[in-house]
Amino acid sequence: MVNIEDIEKAYRNIKPFVHKTPLIHSNSFSKMFGAEVYLKAENLQKTGSFKVRGAFNKMVDIKDGKVIAASMGNHAQGVAFAAGRLGIFAKIVMPVTTPIIKEEATRGYGAEVVLYGESFNDALNYALSQKGYTFIHAFDDDEVIAGQGTVGVEIMEDFRDIDIILVPVGGGGLISGISVAVKSMSPKTTVIGVQTESAPSVCLSFKGKRIIGKTPLSTLADGIAVGQVGERTLEVMNRYVDDMVLVSEDSIAMAILLFLERKKFVVEGAGAVPLAALTENRERFKGKTIVLVVSGGNIDFTLIDRIIHKGLVISGRIGVFEVTVDDLPGRLHSLTGVISEHRGNIMNVVHDRLAEDLSVGKTKVVFTVETRGREHLEDILSDLIKNGFNVKKRGNLP
């Protein structure tokens, strides 16, 4: 099992190649959640993710060799970048479903990219079948785990008076390394892993004390959408990790939005799950000193507008609702007048006169309105109802 000496050696190995990322105190999050909140900003790491740490530690002693890895994202870029810096040839196998932006980023670091299979498992099995390469596992490898554990060493170097560290969990490499480092240097600190409800295999395995595989569903946190924990990582987690929690997709979307708005941080879904956990468990963490490990910032920008919109809807900052009215002149003016009195900003209006449940002479008017938050939105809806309008919420509004 990986120990603190392995992690300290890894730290010496990788120091010339990676950033020591900042540990940032967040005044806004601290006030919002009634805790002292710090961010370990691995989204500012080279390649935008912690993955380069494990990749460098695994590859630093490889001489004149060739490496191969299977990945859909951050691990691919970490291995490609490390190989380029170390003068090693790297082949990265990715499924054909990999987003083009991630494929091109990996090529940009100098690796040969092979697209194979429809799923990650197809790509993994192909990579494992190739001869003449050193395989770089994304998480279930002692040297990779030790490299990721350097995140924990840096946190402890900067600040030890920490009650809780919240860590994203996919295959378990990051939390395994961090937990060994943190428990060795600050035994009183609680280490909690965070997974999405859409990919809970590690949480199930941790609580069941055995490997339990579960196929991930579609998730905003694609970087931690792993179907099965590693044998090495589960062994470490069972010894050093205190708890594991699940968070919803809605909370992840809100967390991404909060990072953008409050910290001006671009954070991918996997990196946002610690903040999502803080959002869902306010009372548990109230009054504590907490570090959120922001594991990466490689978000797919083709999706970010939808994620932002989803977060705004969940928070009540954008409301979508329909009002059924008589299809007569002046009725729309009456509706918009109520919204205007409350200083709601109407972003879109759609008339639906052909809905099956409408009687002749009626129309549905669907509004998309920007508000200051859920309470402001509820004031608008309540006033519409008081004025005799038939109001129905749409989308994710409770």
Side-chain angles (χ1 to χ4, degrees):
M1 185 180 292
V2 173
N3 57 41
I4 186 62
E5 288 76 21
D6 297 323
I7 296 172
E8 289 172 342
K9 179 183 176 183
Y11 198 29
R12 294 191 295 272
N13 286 341
I14 71 172
K15 258 189 172 181
F17 305 107
V18 303
H19 295 312
K20 179 179 179 180
T21 54
L23 185 66
I24 302 168
H25 180 260
S26 173
N27 288 318
S28 55
F29 289 162
S30 296
K31 291 177 182 177
M32 188 180 301
F33 297 105
E36 291 301 315
V37 180
Y38 291 79
L39 310 174
K40 179 58 174 172
E42 284 295 290
N43 58 312
L44 304 180
Q45 185 55 265
K46 292 181 178 179
T47 75
S49 161
F50 73 94
K51 288 287 190 178
V52 292
R53 296 173 181 267
F56 270 113
N57 193 50
K58 178 67 177 178
M59 296 162 60
V60 71
D61 290 326
I62 295 176
K63 306 297 182 185
D64 302 322
K66 299 188 296 182
V67 301
I68 192 167
S71 170
M72 292 181 68
N74 289 339
H75 180 58
Q77 294 175 57
V79 171
F81 178 77
R85 287 295 307 274
L86 297 170
I88 299 170
F89 175 80
K91 179 182 286 188
I92 309 296
V93 186
M94 310 176 103
V96 297
T97 52
T98 299
I100 291 174
I101 189 171
K102 295 184 178 182
E103 176 191 342
E104 290 305 307
T106 304
R107 292 186 198 277
Y109 289 122
E112 176 186 339
V113 175
V114 176
L115 299 178
Y116 184 88
E118 295 292 328
S119 69
F120 171 72
N121 281 338
D122 292 339
L124 176 62
N125 290 332
Y126 178 82
L128 290 170
S129 72
Q130 301 302 294
K131 307 299 182 184
Y133 293 89
T134 299
F135 179 69
I136 312 297
H137 201 288
F139 51 85
D140 205 25
D141 179 284
D142 287 345
E143 290 170 301
V144 171
I145 293 169
Q148 319 305 27
T150 61
V151 175
V153 171
E154 288 184 1
I155 292 170
M156 290 291 103
E157 282 184 345
D158 287 343
F159 187 46
R160 291 205 183 189
D161 192 18
I162 301 166
D163 296 315
I164 299 167
I165 298 180
L166 293 171
V167 187
V169 181
L174 179 62
I175 195 170
S176 294
I178 286 177
S179 63
V180 172
V182 169
K183 291 295 186 179
S184 300
M185 303 170 78
S186 177
K188 68 179 180 62
T189 300
T190 298
V191 179
I192 300 175
V194 188
Q195 283 204 297
T196 167
E197 292 171 352
S198 300
S201 61
V202 181
C203 186
L204 296 173
S205 301
F206 176 79
K207 294 182 184 295
K209 304 297 182 185
R210 62 186 178 88
I211 294 177
I212 301 173
K214 190 170 180 64
T215 302
L217 303 176
S218 178
T219 173
L220 296 174
D222 60 326
I224 54 172
V226 175
Q228 183 171 303
V229 67
E231 292 182 6
R232 289 178 174 84
T233 54
L234 183 59
E235 183 183 5
V236 175
M237 284 187 285
N238 283 337
R239 181 169 178 180
Y240 291 104
V241 174
D242 297 285
D243 196 9
M244 196 82 62
V245 298
L246 298 175
V247 295
S248 71
E249 292 295 306
D250 283 355
S251 294
I252 297 170
M254 271 300 304
I256 293 170
L257 180 61
L258 282 172
F259 272 120
L260 283 168
E261 280 196 315
R262 300 301 179 97
K263 300 306 299 179
K264 308 302 180 281
F265 268 15
V266 176
V267 177
E268 63 189 87
V273 296
L275 182 57
L278 187 56
T279 301
E280 291 189 7
N281 299 274
R282 291 170 183 260
E283 289 304 313
R284 177 177 181 179
F285 300 129
K286 192 172 183 178
K288 304 294 186 181
T289 299
I290 302 169
V291 171
L292 311 181
V293 178
V294 185
S295 58
N298 293 321
I299 195 167
D300 186 346
F301 281 92
T302 62
L303 296 176
I304 198 167
D305 61 329
R306 281 181 275 172
I307 293 170
I308 292 171
H309 183 82
K310 185 177 181 68
L312 290 170
V313 170
I314 293 165
S315 66
R317 302 261 300 284
I318 289 180
V320 183
F321 55 89
E322 65 182 47
V323 186
T324 301
V325 297
D326 295 326
D327 194 7
L328 296 171
R331 299 304 286 164
L332 180 60
H333 177 72
S334 300
L335 278 168
T336 57
V338 174
I339 297 170
S340 176
E341 286 176 5
H342 288 271
R343 297 180 60 79
N345 180 32
I346 299 173
M347 302 172 69
N348 192 36
V349 181
V350 177
H351 281 80
D352 182 2
R353 294 179 171 87
L354 303 178
E356 291 182 2
D357 58 341
L358 279 178
S359 58
V360 177
K362 298 283 187 179
T363 183
K364 286 184 180 179
V365 185
V366 182
F367 288 95
T368 302
V369 179
E370 181 186 9
T371 71
R372 292 190 297 274
R374 195 175 304 284
E375 185 176 342
H376 186 203
L377 176 60
E378 289 297 334
D379 288 343
I380 294 172
L381 298 178
S382 295
D383 206 5
L384 287 169
I385 293 169
K386 286 177 183 177
N387 279 272
F389 293 108
N390 180 10
V391 180
K392 181 180 178 182
K393 297 176 182 178
R394 280 195 173 190
N396 292 309
L397 294 180

